[in-house]
Amino acid sequence: MARDRILLVGAAYQDIILDVPHFPQEDTKLQVRNLVRRWGGNVVNIARVLRALDDNLDIHLVVPLPSESTSKEFLEFCARINVTVSPLFSDATEFPVAYVTRSLDRNTRTILNYSNVPQFDQTTIQHVLDLISSHEYSWLHFEGRTPEFLEKCLDAPEIASKVNVSLELEKPDRLWLLPLASKVSTVFSNCEFLRKVHRPDWNADFRERCLSFLNSGVSPNCFITSGSSVTFGSVAGDPVFMPIEKVSSKESTGAGDSFAAACIYYLMRNAGGTEETVRFANLVAYQFLESKDNDISSSSGSSDTLNSERMPIPCDFAERLRN
């Protein structure tokens, strides 16, 4: 049986997560309660979750990176989880960093990104097209970043003819990516992006915004996370809203990416319709967040809640995510 091959195109970061009792005022000092470092970014998180779900997937990453020596630890991490990297090295000597400062009293976060790595350009486009020409991919996923790069890729015959192509639309300051949502088979977004899409004075709730977004000409396969109590999904235009199980972990970085990874996996296997897909993705995102606790056994999910009816989640899923 041929292995499913997936191509993920986006940026890689080192996430540095700082827990503070409250957000500091200007010109003050504050003691950090806890510090966590891990590799992140949309496509890196998706790769981690896909690998934890299935050892047999052939996962390829295309990411702009600093120099080869600076990227050594990241490449070792990818090799450890058996993810193939097609690196685009540059002369940069610092790895991109995302500083995530989380306020413990309000359970909110502020993210500061730093990167001097050159982003996607014509060389990257040709690199991606060459990979697609030389491999048979079951799924292509693009992080929503540079519009010129994405437009040229999605309009290329090598990609336009592919059935399974997904796009991440989550950054509220990237509304110029919205026209590309009709050029892919699946779109992943969130409530922050939707608030920017609609006029600011429209006092609509999450459900109204989701349905309006779905009917605006985007792909009929559309998934939107709210970050709180409910997620939205549509497979072939069939909309479903589903509650989210409350998690004990207060750190939500990467939750939307884990949800997207589960949707990709479920849709790629043609395992079910909208309700089954969203339920499975919610369960995977739940386990992704719970796996961040120091003690895996503290997870509140029983063996019954770790599996969807049609697509089992590996019983050691949380342990796999720690690799």
Side-chain angles (χ1 to χ4, degrees):
M1 180 179 176
R3 299 172 68 190
D4 282 312
R5 183 175 289 128
I6 302 171
L7 180 64
L8 308 170
V9 183
Y13 279 83
Q14 183 184 52
D15 291 341
I16 298 180
I17 302 166
L18 308 169
D19 283 348
V20 295
H22 54 81
F23 284 123
Q25 296 181 348
E26 289 186 59
D27 295 326
T28 61
K29 288 186 177 181
L30 190 63
Q31 183 69 34
V32 173
R33 296 279 182 85
N34 188 49
L35 185 150
V36 175
R37 290 185 178 90
R38 63 167 172 260
W39 301 111
N42 174 254
V43 295
V44 176
N45 288 331
I46 288 177
R48 285 180 62 221
V49 174
L50 287 172
R51 173 57 68 229
L53 285 171
D54 194 333
D55 282 331
N56 200 42
L57 294 175
D58 189 3
I59 304 171
H60 292 192
L61 275 181
V62 174
V63 286
L65 293 174
S67 66
E68 187 170 0
S69 59
T70 304
S71 305
K72 182 174 181 290
E73 289 186 22
F74 172 73
L75 295 174
E76 289 174 348
F77 159 76
C78 291
R80 191 166 67 248
I81 64 171
N82 194 21
V83 168
T84 301
V85 182
S86 296
L88 297 164
F89 293 121
S90 65
D91 294 331
T93 57
E94 295 176 289
F95 205 93
V97 181
Y99 296 95
V100 183
T101 304
R102 187 166 65 88
S103 169
L104 296 177
D105 66 339
R106 294 180 178 270
N107 197 24
T108 56
R109 62 181 182 169
T110 297
I111 302 176
L112 301 174
N113 290 339
Y114 169 76
S115 175
N116 64 350
V117 173
Q119 293 302 302
F120 305 107
D121 54 17
Q122 185 61 44
T123 303
T124 316
I125 295 172
Q126 193 56 52
H127 186 74
V128 171
L129 297 182
D130 288 345
L131 281 173
I132 294 171
S133 298
S134 57
H135 296 83
E136 187 63 36
Y137 287 103
S138 305
W139 196 286
L140 310 177
H141 173 77
F142 293 88
E143 180 183 0
R145 299 188 73 84
T146 312
E148 296 82 7
F149 163 75
L150 286 170
E151 190 164 15
K152 289 181 179 179
C153 278
L154 295 177
D155 286 341
E158 297 92 330
I159 294 178
S161 61
K162 295 288 183 180
V163 176
N164 294 322
V165 182
S166 57
L167 175 66
E168 174 255 9
L169 296 177
E170 294 190 347
K171 312 300 187 294
D173 59 343
R174 297 176 184 170
L175 290 183
W176 26 261
L177 291 171
L178 188 57
L180 302 179
S182 62
K183 297 187 177 186
V184 295
S185 60
T186 304
V187 172
F188 298 106
S189 191
N190 59 20
C191 57
E192 287 80 11
F193 188 85
L194 261 62
R195 289 192 190 102
K196 290 289 186 178
V197 168
H198 300 297
R199 60 182 189 271
D201 61 339
W202 185 33
N203 190 26
D205 64 12
F206 177 68
R207 294 170 184 260
E208 288 180 277
R209 291 179 186 272
C210 288
L211 293 175
S212 176
F213 186 68
L214 177 64
N215 294 325
S216 66
V218 301
S219 168
N221 287 358
C222 180
F223 300 90
I224 303 169
T225 56
S226 68
S228 56
S229 60
V230 67
T231 51
F232 169 79
S234 168
V235 175
D238 176 28
V240 166
F241 293 90
M242 189 167 293
I244 302 171
E245 186 172 357
K246 187 175 181 180
V247 298
S248 60
S249 173
K250 294 182 179 180
E251 213 298 281
S252 61
T253 304
D257 299 333
S258 65
F259 181 88
C263 290
I264 289 172
Y265 186 67
Y266 210 82
L267 292 171
M268 188 172 60
R269 297 300 173 88
N270 296 311
T274 305
E275 186 171 345
E276 295 91 344
T277 304
V278 176
R279 179 180 293 112
F280 178 75
N282 276 348
L283 289 171
V284 169
Y286 170 87
Q287 279 300 295
F288 177 85
L289 292 177
E290 289 293 296
S291 73
K292 296 181 179 183
D293 291 341
N294 291 327
D295 183 4
I296 293 178
S297 64
S298 68
S299 171
S300 60
S302 67
S303 59
D304 291 336
T305 65
L306 302 188
N307 293 279
S308 71
E309 184 176 346
R310 299 192 186 184
M311 183 76 71
I313 299 174
C315 59
D316 60 345
F317 177 74
E319 185 64 40
R320 288 165 178 252
L321 286 171
R322 292 180 176 276
N323 290 333

